[in-house]
Each structure stands twice: as structure tokens, then as C-alpha cells.
Amino acid sequence: MNKLAILPVAVMIALSAPSAMAKVSEADAAKLGTELTPLGGEKAANADGSIPAWDGGITEPVAGYSKGMHHPDPFPGDKIEFTITNANKDKYKAYLSDGQVKLFELYPETFKMNVYQTRRSASVPQFVYDATRENATRAELIDGGNGIKGASIGIPFPMPENGLEVIWNHVLRFRGVDIKTSRSQAAPTAGGSYTLVETAEEIRFQYSRPEMTLDKLSKDNTLFFFKQVVTQPARLAGTALLVKETMDQEKLPRQAWTYNTGQRRVRKAPNVAFDTPGTVSDGLRTTDDFDMFNGSPVRYNWELVGKQELYIPYNDYKLHSDKLEYDQIITPGHINPEYVRYEKHRVWVVKATLKEGMRHIYKARTFYIDEDSWQVSVADLYDNRDELYRVAIAHGLNYYEVPTQWSTLEVFHDLQSRRYIAMGLDNEGRMYDFDAKLSEANFTPAALRRAGIR
């Protein structure tokens, strides 16, 4: 891993044992919203002012926006400040991950980063801030970190003491309550040709519901429901997946079902986890790569390395625009860098190392997690030879009608095959519906079968 520009505040935190209690004192919790953001980021600017102070983020939609639209850029006047290329990357190496450096080396003529003014746009509703404040003094890891208790709605560990707490913050970050999406993905060949795979997805976040209580979460042991149905191409249409994610994964691991159009039946799918290849991913990502990381953390040891400043995609409204067509985004080797906005942000650095006796195609993973949203922004993924295998990059923006900071596109680069998969393409489709009304009845095996029938 690169020599990191670690911030001093993180050094003592990194020494904490993974089993440490996460509860903080009332005095420390009072820092949330004062010297810290309500979700636990550093509120102040960095030393040279290149990262500004957080001032609340985007709290209302921009002028001219109405629900159902793609999101207009709230910063249309911002200009490129400088561009990082393979030729000058060493000048900026302290603010790049090893995986990002490798992309410059693999694609020296075409890969670049256009760097803009940093805008700390991340925000969530007030009820999430309030819940985070409550969680700070009561949330705990349980079952060796394979579950949590004492948290609901908000970030469970806004002042994390170890890597497991940081990764749970990512898994449980607020992304809305009931959501329906129509998204596409593309896995181009080395030459750039691809077949678009379209999916319809529904998500019901139990954990994030405003009315959720600790007792109900403990009793139901459900974090969220997820249903995905492939709608195009015709040969794959009707393939469907249903996931029930649990809060205490020792008590009950993830429950999953698949619907196969050829067999016309629903089957339990206990292998939809860990390094099983992702649905129609052409073998370019694992199941637990989805959303940059998901599922049980049990196969890894998690080290909180500290904090650093990193260039990450942020406020990627141009990449999200419905003025773009997919052919303009999907190019050989990597997505078109002309449409990507990079900014310098502070990130938590967490290294996951495979436990002895455990199996996974990634022997180690280094995650870079945005301090303002707890979104994993970059992940460097290593194989069993300790060599970089894949690089994952999440392109985030604020969906300001909610509001929530979430990715508009996730790209997984396979460095060995020199291919990538781009997930979440929505430029030519309908925008997310954050006002969907989804009940638990939408997420049963019977509902999965109905959704999958062509």
C-alpha cells in the first residue's frame, strides 16, 4: 500500500482492538454537530484549506429540479483546477491509492483525473442525525463483529474505534427508506464492445425507517430487503434475486433466493454471498463487491489504518446526466474520464486481511471511506499472490430530494484481464424513485416468482 498521508487524529484510534466497546461518553457524543459533523466527520477545513469546512451539505433541491428528473449539477460554474495524468502522477501520489496509480500505469495515454474544487455536499435528513447521536452512546459490535446491537436509523459508530465499526458504518449508512430503480450495467470487452444488461430493483431499508426501534430491529433481525429482476437482454430477462439481510448474522445468516426462467422455480441460494460471482457480472466482480462492500465481515480481520486525504469521485452530476448516452461513457479500458469529477476529501482507511482458514479470491482489501457520508469511495483488491487484482471506484453525488449521498455509478476494474464492469448506469433510463411504498409482501419468494415470470 502507498505511504499514506495519515492524519494524526487517527493514530491512537488505529491501535484500538477490534473487540473494543464502541459506546462513547455523553461528553464525546456532544462533539457531534459541533467540532464534528452530525455523522462524525471532521467539521473543520484541512490545514491548507483545499478541503473546506463542512457547512451542512446540500439541504434542498436546486432551482428547476422536480422529482423524477435526473439531478441538475448544483455547481455548474466549477472549472477543472488541474488534471492528473500518468506523466505527472508522482506529484500527487500521496493523495492516490495504489489502485488509482495502477490505472494510470495500465492506461497511460487515456486514463486521467480532472480535479475540481472540493464541495462537501453530503447530507441526510435531521432524523438520521438525531439517531446517530443516540447510537453513539449505545451501539456495540456483537458476535465478534458479525452483528451489531444498540443502533437504529443512523450511523452506528460515528466515532469508530476499529475497522469493523467503520465498515458497519458503510453498510448501514442512510440511502433512503423505500426505493425503486431501473439501472443498467455494461462489461465491455478490451476493445470496448458491450451488451447492456438492464435490471429493475426494489429496496426496503428496515434499519433506516424513521419509525424503527431497537426492540423491533432485535426481534425481526432484518436490516433490509433487496429484489433484483433482469429485464434485458431477452436471453436473461426474468432472472431474479431476492435478499433478506440480517442484523445479527451469527443468529441468522443472510437469506437469499433466486428465480431461474428455464426451471420456472424459486430456489434458496445460500451461496449468494462473499466471493460468489455477482449476478450477470461476466465474472468481473464478487457478490460482496456490490455497493463496494456488503454482507458479513466474518472472513476478514479489519484494521483501522487511520485517515488520509484522497482524490475521489464526488459530485459526479455530469456523469449522471441524462444528456449523456451510454456509448459516450463506456470506452475501452475505463469509463470516459472527461465526464468524471474528482475532488480531495478526507477518508477513513480500512484494511481487510483474510483470516487464516478462510477462503476468498481477495486475500486483502483496502477501503477508502468518505468521512462525510461513510460511502466506500475506492477499494483496492489484492489476490492470493499479494498483487493488485481489481480496483473499485464509486462515483457519488447528493440525491438532494431525499437528501442522501450515494453512488450514481460503480466501476470495477479487473487489472489482469484489462476489463471492467460499470454498474448503475441510469442516464438513458428512469430516475430512482425514493418515494416508493414497498411492504414486506414485496419481498417474499412468491413475489420473486411473480416478478421473474416473463
Side-chain angles (χ1 to χ4, degrees):
M1 192 171 70
N2 250 1
K3 186 183 291 184
L4 300 176
I6 299 295
L7 301 184
V9 71
V11 174
M12 293 203 318
I13 292 175
L15 300 177
S16 300
S19 60
M21 299 286 282
K23 298 176 182 179
V24 301
S25 68
E26 287 289 346
D28 282 339
K31 296 176 183 178
L32 295 171
T34 54
E35 62 184 87
L36 300 177
T37 72
L39 297 187
E42 293 175 54
K43 201 170 186 178
N46 68 344
D48 64 7
S50 56
I51 299 174
W54 183 81
D55 63 0
I58 301 176
T59 56
E60 58 185 26
V62 302
Y65 172 81
S66 60
K67 288 185 178 181
M69 292 174 57
H70 282 67
H71 300 72
D73 189 346
F75 314 115
D78 287 2
K79 305 296 183 184
I80 298 171
E81 295 192 341
F82 57 90
T83 298
I84 307 174
T85 67
N86 188 57
N88 68 1
K89 68 178 184 301
D90 288 347
K91 178 180 177 181
Y92 304 100
K93 210 166 186 177
Y95 307 103
L96 301 171
S97 81
D98 284 357
Q100 290 172 320
V101 171
K102 190 67 173 180
L103 291 174
F104 284 114
E105 295 171 352
L106 279 181
Y107 308 104
E109 303 300 323
T110 57
F111 185 74
K112 64 181 181 179
M113 293 183 181
N114 290 327
V115 180
Y116 292 73
Q117 173 184 354
T118 297
R119 302 278 194 172
R120 296 179 70 179
S121 57
S123 61
V124 294
Q126 185 61 46
F127 75 88
V128 181
Y129 294 141
D130 294 341
T132 299
R133 173 65 175 77
E134 295 296 317
N135 292 342
T137 59
R138 67 191 186 190
E140 299 177 60
L141 295 173
I142 57 174
D143 298 322
N146 205 27
I148 66 167
K149 70 175 183 179
S152 65
I153 305 170
I155 296 299
F157 308 112
M159 300 175 187
E161 296 178 344
N162 55 67
L164 263 174
E165 292 172 5
V166 174
I167 209 68
W168 272 108
N169 287 349
H170 163 78
V171 170
L172 296 177
R173 72 201 189 281
F174 181 80
R175 285 154 285 172
V177 179
D178 291 327
I179 306 162
K180 296 179 73 170
T181 74
S182 296
R183 308 193 299 170
S184 299
Q185 63 187 44
T189 64
S193 62
Y194 64 92
T195 298
L196 202 67
V197 177
E198 299 177 5
T199 61
E201 298 172 359
E202 296 179 349
I203 314 170
R204 178 181 166 96
F205 287 108
Q206 298 290 88
Y207 177 89
S208 302
R209 310 189 79 78
E211 71 276 11
M212 188 50 63
T213 65
L214 296 182
D215 286 344
K216 183 169 176 54
L217 273 176
S218 177
K219 179 181 177 182
D220 294 349
N221 195 26
T222 303
L223 293 177
F224 63 80
F225 296 98
F226 173 78
K227 184 168 66 180
Q228 180 188 70
V229 181
V230 177
T231 56
Q232 292 290 339
R235 63 184 174 83
L236 298 174
T239 303
L241 170 69
L242 172 64
V243 172
K244 175 185 176 181
E245 192 74 304
T246 56
M247 188 165 182
D248 182 344
Q249 302 213 356
E250 281 295 313
K251 182 188 297 183
L252 180 68
R254 165 184 288 173
Q255 304 293 289
W257 298 262
T258 57
Y259 178 77
N260 183 288
T261 55
Q263 298 175 343
R264 292 187 174 271
R265 61 184 299 180
V266 173
R267 291 183 178 272
K268 287 207 74 170
N271 292 328
V272 177
F274 302 112
D275 59 354
T276 301
T279 305
V280 292
S281 66
D282 215 6
L284 293 172
R285 71 165 179 88
T286 62
T287 293
D288 62 7
D289 277 331
F290 191 87
D291 195 36
M292 301 298 283
F293 181 80
N294 73 90
S296 169
V298 72
R299 293 191 181 184
Y300 289 92
N301 293 311
W302 299 85
E303 176 192 0
L304 180 54
V305 178
K307 248 184 181 180
Q308 77 165 100
E309 296 172 2
L310 196 75
Y311 292 117
I312 59 176
Y314 223 90
N315 296 306
D316 251 335
Y317 292 93
K318 184 184 293 186
L319 182 64
H320 168 82
S321 172
D322 59 353
K323 305 296 190 296
L324 282 182
E325 296 179 353
Y326 299 143
D327 283 347
Q328 295 174 273
I329 297 172
I330 304 300
T331 57
H334 49 77
I335 64 171
N336 191 333
E338 296 296 345
Y339 303 117
V340 180
R341 173 178 177 140
Y342 280 87
E343 301 178 1
K344 184 194 286 185
H345 286 261
R346 285 183 293 241
V347 296
W348 294 94
V349 184
V350 173
K351 185 171 183 178
T353 307
L354 197 62
K355 291 179 180 176
E356 186 175 353
M358 291 289 187
R359 179 193 171 279
H360 200 289
I361 65 170
Y362 303 144
K363 182 179 177 181
R365 309 160 88 147
T366 303
F367 295 98
Y368 301 86
I369 299 103
D370 171 40
E371 70 169 339
D372 289 337
S373 65
W374 298 100
Q375 162 83 51
V376 172
S377 296
V378 176
D380 291 346
L381 311 169
Y382 295 82
D383 64 19
N384 289 318
R385 300 169 296 174
D386 297 316
E387 294 181 359
L388 268 168
Y389 180 9
R390 291 173 179 163
V391 182
I393 300 176
H395 297 265
L397 56 82
N398 187 317
Y399 293 86
Y400 35 67
E401 76 273 33
V402 182
T404 182
Q405 189 85 9
W406 199 4
S407 59
T408 183
L409 190 67
E410 295 174 3
V411 184
F412 295 85
H413 299 268
D414 189 300
L415 305 180
Q416 297 173 5
S417 67
R418 296 201 175 195
R419 294 183 61 202
Y420 67 95
I421 183 168
M423 300 176 55
L425 293 160
D426 56 20
N427 310 73
E428 299 178 26
R430 296 191 306 275
M431 190 31 51
Y432 293 13
D433 178 6
F434 288 98
D435 291 328
K437 302 301 181 187
L438 302 173
S439 70
E440 294 185 32
N442 292 82
F443 300 94
T444 65
L448 182 70
R449 186 179 190 279
R450 291 192 298 272
I453 293 175
R454 289 186 279 185

